[in-house]
Each structure stands twice: as structure tokens, then as C-alpha cells.
Amino acid sequence: MTATAANAATAVNPATAGRPDIAHPATYAAGVPHAEFARRRSNEPVAWVDEPLLVRHSSAGRSVDRGTGYWAVTTHDAVFSVSRRADEFSSGEKGAFLRDPRTPGDLKQMRQLLVSMDAPEHVRIRKLVASVFTPRAVGGLAGSIERHAEALVEKVVAAEEFDAVPDLAAELPLLVLCDLLGVPPADRHLLYRWSNALVGFDDPEFGGGDVEAYRTAFGEAFQYALRLGMARREQPTDDLISRLANAEVDGKRLSDREFCSFWLLLVVAGNETTRHLISGSVEALADNPGQRERLASGAVPMAGAVEELIRWTTPIMMFRRTATRDTEIMGQSIAEGEKVVIYYTSANRDADVFAEPDRLDLGRDPNPHLAFGIGPHFCLGAHLARLELVTLLTMLRPHLSTLRLTGPVTRLQSNFVNGAKSMPARIG
């Protein structure tokens, strides 16, 4: 911790006993601590957070890991500002994730992901990917998304009870990913397992803090992507991944490593975020029957309702940046090299921007949420996530009035994604 951070910790964190620890993954097993984020927005919108001790294990034994601490940025204006100041707040310096890279090799591996790149490399890779991952290309999947959604809704409606996470929320993005990536549908559970191991690293049911399991999942996914990319270069098909494997910008195409890294990002982001968006939307509608009826009756436009559900859920709760020089955020001095964490989940409940932010309002307009980020790292998959949720809710609309949760929701222990592992439900 720098002197600046040490002084801030003394000044603004005199007694945190009893407050939810926003840095600890276990905190989120009880849901996002929105009251704590509201307190922070009001009293300390940019404040130092000491990271907790976390147990890691591998074949070498158990170890205790503690991050360096960070500045938590919680207001809409401040998150927006940091996101747009990419020259001052780097994604590539130490990666975009809260957990610090353990080794130079880990950092090198992390920097292969688009979310952990800075310009000019980020611009080159994103330009190449964007040339393939266009709204028009995504729109070409509309027919298959509709067929998958229709079949899944028919199945859960017919069931006496179902689990909204594996039976509905996970299945749709997995099936869509198989279409998008040219992966055999039978392999979709590999994608599910890999993304759970990588994103659920801290959850006892998935990663459990096992460093080797994380690296194994990463390696398996890379090897699968490498084989897929080589096959598509030798024998291209009409799927998006073939176009990605063979696309060129300024006479240069993705290297094998760059291709595999982006493929893995699609697997994780395209699966995890949309899965948690869908399950969070199901929970929100079940818990807010008045709003559910507005959607079921057609009283609110579907597109606007989806934007509100995206704001409400905010599947990716935060990303990390690293200060490239001495700077400031909202008057708070930030030293070069310090970790800065931008909390989208807090920004999307900011009362200075959203009227009654803790009330679900499917007719909310305007709705300038930051769930897909802002600035150079705005989510490339935003069009696809919206299309999947719109399509699924359109299929569910005739049945929404009878949607009920029938048991407790089990949540993921993660300080990164706002997700559920199990959500017993019934329709009818």
C-alpha cells in the first residue's frame, strides 16, 4: 500500500466491523450488498479497500493469498470517468481482474485476453474481431436463437418443477455459443465446466481456490480452441468462428494464441454473463409480480424491459484497472501503480442518475446503465446478450403470469459475477 492509500485507509475506514466486505467472494453468496454500496456512494465514493486473506491450494500445499488493496469506485459519474480515461487507468498493466497475477507467466497469460489489453494492441485485436462480430452477423443467429428458446420454454413449461439456472439460463447461451463457434452441441457441457472453473474460482463447488484446477481448465480450453481454429483454417465453414480464424485487418490475421484467447473470452463471457442475466431476470420477475404483469400484458415494450433487467442484474459487477501515473478520481489522489476497481453494480443503483434505483421499473426511460461497460472496452457481445434475453422473454411471455420460485436461490461466491447456481422454479 502506498502512503496515499495508507492515509486514506486510516481516514475513511476507521471501523468496518459489521459492514459487508465488498472484496470477499463469500459476501456475495447472500446477494449483492446494495446497502453497503449505497453507503459508499454517499459517504466515500472513492475509498480504499483492504483485501481479505483467501486460502489457495495446489499440489504444493495450501497457501494464504492477500491482494494489495484497491480504490473502490462506486458512483456512476466516477465509473464512467475512469472507463473513458484508458491512458490513465490501464487494463493491461496488471490485468482486468481483481486478483493480482501470481507470476510473470500468469500476467502474460492474462494479457492475451481482450479485456486485459491496452492500446495499440487492444485496438488492433478489437478492430479485427469487430469486423466479424457485427450486429448484422449476430442478427443472423436470430432464427436459431428463437428455435432454441422455444424448445427450452416448452420443456420447462411441461415440467412439474425445473431449475432456472441449468435448465433454462445456462442452456440457451450454451446452445447459441455452439452455433456461433461451430462447436458440436454435445460439447456444450465442456464449455459449461470450463467457464465455471474459471469464473467460479473462489466458489467451493466450482474452483474452490484450486490454482491447478484453474490452470488445467484454461489449458484444456486453449487446446480445444487451437484444434478448432486449425480445422477452420484448413476447411472453412460458414460459422462466425471460421470467419474469425481467417479474417485479416491491414493484411494481418489473429495469431493462434490470439485466436484461442478470444475464443476463450467468448466461451466465458458469452456463457457466464448471459446465463446470469437470464437467471437474474427470472428471479427479478418472480419477486416483482406487478412488473411481471406489465411485461406479460404487453404494457411495457420488451426492449425497454430488457434494458431494465440488465441494469437490475448487472452480471459483471466490476473490473479492475491500474493507475499508470499519479492522478485523481473525484478529488481523491491516486498514486501510480495503485489498483482501481470500478463497480458497475453500484453505478447502476446511483440515485443521482436513476430515480428510485432500488425499484425494478420495466418502463424506465431513460436508462443509462453501465452493465456493458463504457469506453474502449464496451462489451462486444452486448447485441447478442440483448437478443438472447429478448427472444427468451418473448417465448416466456404467455406463461409469465404463473412463474414462481419454489425454493431458495443458491448464489455463486464471486466478487466478479452476480450469479446464481440454483433457482428452483415452476410455471403453471
Side-chain angles (χ1 to χ4, degrees), residues 125-190:
I125 300 296
R126 188 178 176 96
K127 183 179 179 182
L128 194 152
V129 171
S131 71
V132 175
F133 208 70
T134 62
R136 182 178 179 182
V138 170
L141 294 168
S144 64
I145 293 174
E146 188 172 319
R147 289 190 294 273
H148 292 317
E150 184 177 23
L152 288 170
V153 169
E154 286 180 358
K155 185 176 180 180
V156 298
V157 168
E160 182 174 337
E161 187 174 270
F162 64 95
D163 191 324
V165 178
D167 298 336
L168 191 65
E171 275 291 88
L172 181 60
L174 284 170
L175 289 166
V176 172
L177 273 174
C178 288
D179 295 338
L180 184 71
L181 304 178
V183 171
D187 285 354
R188 69 187 184 277
H189 298 298
L190 288 174

Coordinates of all heavy atoms in Angstrom, one line a residue, residues 125-190:
I125 N -6.7 -5.8 -32.1 CA -7.4 -7.1 -32.0 C -8.9 -6.8 -32.0 O -9.7 -7.5 -32.6 CB -7.1 -7.8 -30.6 CG1 -5.6 -8.1 -30.6 CG2 -7.9 -9.0 -30.4 CD1 -5.1 -9.1 -31.6
R126 N -9.4 -5.7 -31.3 CA -10.8 -5.4 -31.3 C -11.3 -5.1 -32.7 O -12.4 -5.4 -33.1 CB -11.1 -4.3 -30.3 CG -12.5 -4.0 -30.1 CD -12.8 -2.9 -29.1 NE -14.2 -2.6 -29.0 CZ -15.0 -3.1 -28.1 NH1 -14.5 -3.9 -27.2 NH2 -16.2 -2.7 -28.0
K127 N -10.5 -4.3 -33.5 CA -10.9 -4.0 -34.9 C -11.1 -5.2 -35.7 O -12.0 -5.3 -36.5 CB -9.8 -3.1 -35.5 CG -10.1 -2.6 -36.9 CD -9.0 -1.7 -37.4 CE -9.3 -1.2 -38.8 NZ -8.2 -0.4 -39.4
L128 N -10.2 -6.2 -35.5 CA -10.3 -7.4 -36.3 C -11.5 -8.2 -35.9 O -12.3 -8.7 -36.7 CB -9.0 -8.3 -36.1 CG -8.8 -9.4 -37.1 CD1 -7.3 -9.7 -37.2 CD2 -9.6 -10.7 -36.6
V129 N -11.7 -8.3 -34.6 CA -12.9 -9.1 -34.1 C -14.2 -8.4 -34.5 O -15.1 -9.0 -34.9 CB -12.7 -9.2 -32.6 CG1 -14.0 -9.8 -32.0 CG2 -11.6 -10.1 -32.2
A130 N -14.2 -7.0 -34.3 CA -15.4 -6.3 -34.6 C -15.8 -6.4 -36.1 O -17.0 -6.3 -36.4 CB -15.2 -4.8 -34.3
S131 N -14.8 -6.6 -37.0 CA -15.1 -6.8 -38.4 C -15.9 -8.1 -38.6 O -16.6 -8.2 -39.7 CB -13.8 -6.9 -39.2 OG -13.1 -8.1 -39.0
V132 N -15.9 -9.0 -37.7 CA -16.6 -10.3 -37.8 C -17.8 -10.3 -36.9 O -18.9 -10.7 -37.3 CB -15.7 -11.4 -37.4 CG1 -16.4 -12.8 -37.4 CG2 -14.5 -11.5 -38.4
F133 N -17.7 -9.7 -35.7 CA -18.7 -9.8 -34.6 C -19.6 -8.6 -34.7 O -19.7 -7.8 -33.8 CB -18.0 -9.9 -33.3 CG -18.8 -10.6 -32.2 CD1 -19.0 -11.9 -32.3 CD2 -19.4 -9.9 -31.2 CE1 -19.7 -12.6 -31.3 CE2 -20.1 -10.5 -30.2 CZ -20.3 -11.9 -30.2
T134 N -20.3 -8.4 -35.9 CA -21.1 -7.2 -36.1 C -22.5 -7.5 -35.7 O -23.0 -8.6 -35.6 CB -21.1 -6.9 -37.6 OG1 -21.6 -8.0 -38.3 CG2 -19.6 -6.6 -38.1
P135 N -23.3 -6.4 -35.5 CA -24.8 -6.6 -35.2 C -25.4 -7.5 -36.4 O -26.3 -8.3 -36.1 CB -25.3 -5.2 -35.2 CG -24.2 -4.4 -34.7 CD -22.9 -5.0 -35.4
R136 N -25.0 -7.2 -37.6 CA -25.6 -8.0 -38.7 C -25.3 -9.5 -38.6 O -26.2 -10.3 -38.8 CB -25.1 -7.5 -40.0 CG -25.7 -8.2 -41.2 CD -25.2 -7.6 -42.5 NE -25.7 -8.2 -43.7 CZ -25.4 -7.9 -44.9 NH1 -24.6 -7.0 -45.2 NH2 -26.0 -8.6 -45.9
A137 N -24.0 -9.8 -38.2 CA -23.6 -11.2 -38.1 C -24.4 -11.8 -36.9 O -24.9 -13.0 -37.0 CB -22.1 -11.3 -37.8
V138 N -24.5 -11.1 -35.8 CA -25.3 -11.6 -34.6 C -26.7 -11.8 -35.0 O -27.4 -12.8 -34.7 CB -25.1 -10.6 -33.5 CG1 -26.1 -11.0 -32.3 CG2 -23.7 -10.6 -32.9
G139 N -27.3 -10.8 -35.8 CA -28.7 -10.9 -36.2 C -28.9 -12.2 -37.1 O -30.1 -12.7 -37.1
G140 N -27.9 -12.7 -37.7 CA -28.0 -13.9 -38.5 C -28.3 -15.1 -37.6 O -28.7 -16.1 -38.1
L141 N -28.1 -15.0 -36.3 CA -28.4 -16.1 -35.4 C -29.8 -16.0 -34.9 O -30.2 -16.9 -34.1 CB -27.4 -16.0 -34.2 CG -25.9 -16.2 -34.5 CD1 -25.1 -15.8 -33.3 CD2 -25.6 -17.7 -34.9
A142 N -30.6 -15.0 -35.2 CA -31.9 -14.8 -34.6 C -32.8 -16.1 -34.8 O -33.5 -16.5 -33.9 CB -32.6 -13.6 -35.2
G143 N -32.7 -16.7 -36.0 CA -33.6 -17.8 -36.2 C -33.2 -19.0 -35.3 O -34.1 -19.6 -34.7
S144 N -32.0 -19.3 -35.2 CA -31.6 -20.4 -34.3 C -31.8 -20.1 -32.8 O -32.2 -21.0 -32.1 CB -30.1 -20.8 -34.6 OG -29.2 -19.7 -34.2
I145 N -31.6 -18.8 -32.4 CA -31.9 -18.5 -31.0 C -33.4 -18.7 -30.7 O -33.7 -19.2 -29.7 CB -31.4 -17.0 -30.8 CG1 -29.9 -16.9 -30.9 CG2 -31.9 -16.5 -29.4 CD1 -29.4 -15.4 -30.8
E146 N -34.2 -18.3 -31.7 CA -35.6 -18.4 -31.5 C -36.0 -19.9 -31.4 O -36.8 -20.3 -30.5 CB -36.4 -17.8 -32.7 CG -37.9 -17.8 -32.5 CD -38.5 -16.9 -33.6 OE1 -38.0 -15.9 -34.0 OE2 -39.6 -17.4 -34.1
R147 N -35.4 -20.8 -32.2 CA -35.7 -22.2 -32.1 C -35.3 -22.8 -30.8 O -36.0 -23.6 -30.1 CB -35.1 -23.0 -33.3 CG -35.7 -22.7 -34.6 CD -35.2 -23.6 -35.7 NE -33.8 -23.4 -36.0 CZ -33.4 -22.5 -36.9 NH1 -34.2 -21.7 -37.5 NH2 -32.1 -22.4 -37.1
H148 N -34.1 -22.4 -30.3 CA -33.6 -22.9 -29.0 C -34.5 -22.4 -27.9 O -34.8 -23.2 -27.0 CB -32.1 -22.4 -28.8 CG -31.1 -23.0 -29.7 ND1 -31.1 -24.4 -30.1 CD2 -30.1 -22.5 -30.4 CE1 -30.1 -24.6 -30.9 NE2 -29.4 -23.5 -31.1
A149 N -34.8 -21.2 -27.9 CA -35.6 -20.6 -26.8 C -37.0 -21.3 -26.8 O -37.5 -21.6 -25.7 CB -35.8 -19.1 -27.0
E150 N -37.6 -21.5 -27.9 CA -38.9 -22.1 -28.0 C -38.9 -23.5 -27.4 O -39.7 -23.9 -26.6 CB -39.4 -22.1 -29.4 CG -40.8 -22.7 -29.6 CD -41.3 -22.6 -31.0 OE1 -40.5 -22.6 -31.9 OE2 -42.5 -22.6 -31.2
A151 N -37.9 -24.3 -27.8 CA -37.7 -25.6 -27.3 C -37.5 -25.7 -25.8 O -38.1 -26.5 -25.0 CB -36.6 -26.4 -28.0
L152 N -36.7 -24.8 -25.3 CA -36.4 -24.7 -23.8 C -37.6 -24.3 -23.0 O -37.9 -24.9 -22.0 CB -35.2 -23.8 -23.6 CG -33.9 -24.2 -24.0 CD1 -32.8 -23.1 -23.9 CD2 -33.4 -25.4 -23.2
V153 N -38.4 -23.3 -23.5 CA -39.6 -22.9 -22.8 C -40.6 -24.0 -22.8 O -41.3 -24.2 -21.8 CB -40.1 -21.6 -23.4 CG1 -41.5 -21.3 -22.9 CG2 -39.2 -20.4 -23.2
E154 N -40.8 -24.7 -23.9 CA -41.7 -25.8 -24.0 C -41.4 -26.9 -22.9 O -42.2 -27.4 -22.2 CB -41.7 -26.4 -25.3 CG -42.5 -25.6 -26.4 CD -42.4 -26.3 -27.8 OE1 -41.8 -27.3 -27.9 OE2 -43.0 -25.7 -28.7
K155 N -40.1 -27.1 -22.8 CA -39.6 -28.1 -21.8 C -39.9 -27.7 -20.4 O -40.4 -28.5 -19.6 CB -38.1 -28.4 -22.0 CG -37.5 -29.5 -21.2 CD -36.1 -29.7 -21.6 CE -35.5 -30.9 -20.7 NZ -34.1 -31.1 -21.1
V156 N -39.6 -26.5 -20.0 CA -39.7 -26.1 -18.6 C -41.2 -25.9 -18.3 O -41.6 -26.1 -17.1 CB -38.9 -24.8 -18.3 CG1 -37.4 -25.1 -18.4 CG2 -39.4 -23.6 -19.1
V157 N -42.0 -25.5 -19.2 CA -43.5 -25.3 -19.0 C -44.1 -26.7 -18.7 O -45.0 -26.9 -17.9 CB -44.2 -24.6 -20.2 CG1 -45.7 -24.7 -20.1 CG2 -43.8 -23.2 -20.2
A158 N -43.6 -27.7 -19.5 CA -44.1 -29.1 -19.3 C -43.7 -29.7 -18.0 O -44.3 -30.6 -17.5 CB -43.7 -29.9 -20.5
A159 N -42.6 -29.3 -17.5 CA -42.0 -29.9 -16.2 C -42.8 -29.4 -15.0 O -43.3 -28.3 -15.0 CB -40.6 -29.4 -16.1
E160 N -42.9 -30.3 -14.1 CA -43.6 -30.0 -12.8 C -42.8 -28.9 -12.1 O -43.4 -28.0 -11.5 CB -43.8 -31.3 -12.0 CG -44.5 -31.0 -10.7 CD -44.8 -32.3 -9.9 OE1 -44.8 -33.3 -10.5 OE2 -45.1 -32.2 -8.7
E161 N -41.5 -29.1 -12.1 CA -40.6 -28.1 -11.5 C -39.3 -28.2 -12.3 O -38.9 -29.2 -12.8 CB -40.4 -28.4 -10.0 CG -39.6 -27.3 -9.3 CD -39.5 -27.6 -7.8 OE1 -40.3 -27.1 -7.0 OE2 -38.5 -28.3 -7.4
F162 N -38.6 -27.1 -12.3 CA -37.3 -27.0 -13.0 C -36.4 -26.1 -12.3 O -36.8 -25.3 -11.4 CB -37.5 -26.6 -14.5 CG -38.0 -25.1 -14.6 CD1 -37.1 -24.1 -14.8 CD2 -39.4 -24.9 -14.6 CE1 -37.6 -22.8 -14.9 CE2 -39.9 -23.6 -14.7 CZ -38.9 -22.5 -14.9
D163 N -35.1 -26.2 -12.6 CA -34.1 -25.3 -12.0 C -33.8 -24.3 -13.1 O -33.2 -24.6 -14.2 CB -32.8 -26.1 -11.6 CG -31.9 -25.2 -10.8 OD1 -31.8 -24.0 -11.1 OD2 -31.2 -25.8 -9.9
A164 N -34.1 -23.0 -12.8 CA -34.0 -22.0 -13.8 C -32.5 -21.7 -14.3 O -32.3 -21.1 -15.3 CB -34.6 -20.7 -13.3
V165 N -31.6 -22.2 -13.5 CA -30.2 -22.0 -13.9 C -29.7 -23.0 -14.9 O -29.5 -22.6 -16.1 CB -29.2 -21.9 -12.7 CG1 -27.8 -21.7 -13.1 CG2 -29.6 -20.8 -11.7
P166 N -29.6 -24.3 -14.6 CA -29.1 -25.2 -15.6 C -30.1 -25.5 -16.7 O -29.7 -25.8 -17.9 CB -28.8 -26.5 -14.8 CG -29.6 -26.4 -13.6 CD -29.8 -24.9 -13.3
D167 N -31.4 -25.5 -16.4 CA -32.4 -25.9 -17.4 C -32.8 -24.9 -18.3 O -33.3 -25.2 -19.4 CB -33.7 -26.4 -16.6 CG -33.4 -27.6 -15.8 OD1 -32.5 -28.4 -16.0 OD2 -34.2 -27.8 -14.8
L168 N -32.6 -23.6 -18.0 CA -33.0 -22.5 -18.9 C -31.9 -21.5 -19.1 O -31.5 -21.3 -20.2 CB -34.2 -21.8 -18.2 CG -35.0 -20.8 -19.0 CD1 -35.7 -21.5 -20.2 CD2 -36.1 -20.1 -18.2
A169 N -31.4 -20.9 -18.0 CA -30.5 -19.8 -18.1 C -29.1 -20.2 -18.7 O -28.5 -19.5 -19.5 CB -30.2 -19.1 -16.8
A170 N -28.7 -21.4 -18.4 CA -27.4 -21.9 -18.9 C -27.5 -22.5 -20.3 O -26.7 -22.3 -21.1 CB -26.8 -22.9 -17.9
E171 N -28.6 -23.2 -20.5 CA -28.8 -23.9 -21.8 C -28.8 -23.0 -23.0 O -28.2 -23.3 -24.0 CB -30.0 -24.8 -21.7 CG -29.8 -26.2 -21.1 CD -29.0 -27.1 -21.9 OE1 -27.7 -27.0 -21.7 OE2 -29.5 -27.8 -22.7
L172 N -29.6 -21.9 -22.9 CA -29.7 -21.1 -24.1 C -28.4 -20.5 -24.6 O -28.0 -20.7 -25.7 CB -30.7 -19.9 -23.8 CG -31.0 -19.0 -25.1 CD1 -31.5 -19.8 -26.2 CD2 -31.9 -17.9 -24.7
P173 N -27.6 -19.8 -23.7 CA -26.3 -19.3 -24.2 C -25.4 -20.4 -24.6 O -24.6 -20.2 -25.6 CB -25.8 -18.5 -23.0 CG -26.5 -18.9 -21.8 CD -27.9 -19.4 -22.3
L174 N -25.4 -21.6 -24.0 CA -24.5 -22.7 -24.4 C -24.9 -23.1 -25.8 O -24.0 -23.3 -26.7 CB -24.6 -23.8 -23.4 CG -23.9 -23.6 -22.1 CD1 -24.3 -24.8 -21.2 CD2 -22.4 -23.6 -22.3
L175 N -26.2 -23.3 -26.1 CA -26.6 -23.7 -27.4 C -26.3 -22.7 -28.5 O -25.9 -23.0 -29.6 CB -28.1 -24.0 -27.4 CG -28.5 -25.3 -26.7 CD1 -30.0 -25.3 -26.4 CD2 -28.1 -26.5 -27.4
V176 N -26.5 -21.4 -28.1 CA -26.1 -20.3 -29.0 C -24.6 -20.3 -29.3 O -24.2 -20.1 -30.4 CB -26.6 -19.0 -28.5 CG1 -26.2 -17.8 -29.3 CG2 -28.2 -18.9 -28.4
L177 N -23.8 -20.5 -28.3 CA -22.4 -20.5 -28.4 C -22.0 -21.6 -29.4 O -21.0 -21.4 -30.2 CB -21.7 -20.6 -27.1 CG -21.4 -19.4 -26.3 CD1 -20.9 -19.7 -24.9 CD2 -20.5 -18.5 -27.0
C178 N -22.6 -22.7 -29.3 CA -22.2 -23.8 -30.2 C -22.5 -23.4 -31.6 O -21.7 -23.7 -32.5 CB -23.0 -25.1 -29.8 SG -22.5 -25.9 -28.3
D179 N -23.6 -22.8 -31.9 CA -23.9 -22.3 -33.2 C -22.9 -21.2 -33.6 O -22.4 -21.2 -34.8 CB -25.3 -21.6 -33.3 CG -26.4 -22.6 -33.0 OD1 -26.2 -23.8 -33.2 OD2 -27.5 -22.2 -32.6
L180 N -22.6 -20.3 -32.7 CA -21.7 -19.2 -33.0 C -20.2 -19.7 -33.3 O -19.6 -19.2 -34.2 CB -21.7 -18.2 -31.8 CG -20.9 -16.9 -31.9 CD1 -21.5 -16.0 -32.9 CD2 -20.7 -16.3 -30.6
L181 N -19.8 -20.6 -32.5 CA -18.4 -21.1 -32.5 C -18.2 -22.3 -33.3 O -17.0 -22.8 -33.5 CB -17.9 -21.3 -31.1 CG -18.0 -20.2 -30.1 CD1 -17.5 -20.6 -28.7 CD2 -17.3 -19.0 -30.6
G182 N -19.2 -22.9 -33.9 CA -19.0 -24.1 -34.7 C -18.7 -25.3 -33.8 O -17.9 -26.2 -34.3
V183 N -19.1 -25.3 -32.6 CA -18.8 -26.4 -31.7 C -20.0 -27.4 -31.7 O -21.2 -27.0 -31.7 CB -18.6 -25.8 -30.2 CG1 -18.5 -26.9 -29.2 CG2 -17.4 -24.9 -30.2
P184 N -19.7 -28.7 -31.7 CA -20.8 -29.7 -31.6 C -21.6 -29.5 -30.4 O -21.1 -29.3 -29.3 CB -20.0 -31.0 -31.6 CG -18.7 -30.8 -32.2 CD -18.4 -29.3 -31.8
P185 N -23.0 -29.5 -30.5 CA -23.8 -29.3 -29.3 C -23.5 -30.2 -28.2 O -23.6 -29.8 -27.0 CB -25.2 -29.5 -29.9 CG -25.1 -29.2 -31.3 CD -23.7 -29.6 -31.7
A186 N -23.0 -31.4 -28.5 CA -22.7 -32.4 -27.4 C -21.5 -31.9 -26.5 O -21.4 -32.3 -25.4 CB -22.4 -33.7 -28.0
D187 N -20.7 -31.0 -27.1 CA -19.6 -30.4 -26.3 C -19.9 -29.2 -25.5 O -19.1 -28.7 -24.8 CB -18.5 -30.1 -27.3 CG -17.7 -31.3 -27.9 OD1 -18.0 -32.4 -27.4 OD2 -16.9 -31.0 -28.8
R188 N -21.2 -28.8 -25.4 CA -21.5 -27.6 -24.7 C -21.3 -27.7 -23.2 O -21.0 -26.7 -22.6 CB -23.0 -27.2 -25.0 CG -24.1 -28.1 -24.4 CD -25.4 -27.6 -24.9 NE -26.5 -28.3 -24.3 CZ -27.0 -29.5 -24.7 NH1 -26.4 -30.1 -25.7 NH2 -28.0 -30.1 -24.1
H189 N -21.3 -28.9 -22.7 CA -21.1 -29.1 -21.3 C -19.6 -29.0 -20.9 O -19.3 -28.7 -19.8 CB -21.6 -30.4 -20.8 CG -23.1 -30.5 -21.0 ND1 -24.0 -29.7 -20.3 CD2 -23.9 -31.3 -21.8 CE1 -25.2 -29.9 -20.7 NE2 -25.2 -30.9 -21.6
L190 N -18.7 -29.1 -21.9 CA -17.3 -28.8 -21.7 C -17.2 -27.3 -21.5 O -16.5 -26.8 -20.6 CB -16.5 -29.2 -22.9 CG -16.2 -30.7 -23.1 CD1 -15.5 -30.9 -24.5 CD2 -15.4 -31.3 -22.0

